[in-house]
Amino acid sequence: MRVLSLIFGILAALGLILGLLPLLGWLNWVFVLPPAVLGLVFGALSRDRTATTLSAVVAILAALRLMLGGGVI
């Protein structure tokens, strides 16, 4: 579960890098938030603090980017 959570967190972080670029904020809905939430769930099940923290930070940054871009009202 720990490895699976880290994989989802890293994939979400890579998607977040692309989602921070202008005109690519929609990627946060498709490629960042779902894997970050899955990483949070698997991290919580495995009780691994590192994987949970990584996924939480990525999800918060993606949500912040969506709010700033008008994607979440």
Side-chain angles (χ1 to χ4, degrees):
M1 291 290 227
R2 177 181 179 262
V3 173
L4 195 59
S5 177
L6 281 173
I7 289 171
F8 278 126
I10 291 170
L11 288 176
L14 292 174
L16 179 65
I17 292 170
L18 287 176
L20 290 175
L21 296 173
L23 300 176
L24 293 177
W26 60 271
L27 290 174
N28 290 325
W29 283 114
V30 180
F31 296 114
V32 178
L33 287 178
V37 170
L38 283 174
L40 274 171
V41 170
F42 288 134
L45 290 175
S46 70
R47 299 185 190 266
D48 182 35
R49 189 175 176 121
T50 305
T52 306
T53 304
L54 173 66
S55 296
V57 167
V58 169
I60 290 170
L61 288 175
L64 179 66
R65 167 62 172 97
L66 285 171
M67 281 191 284
L68 291 174
V72 175
I73 298 175

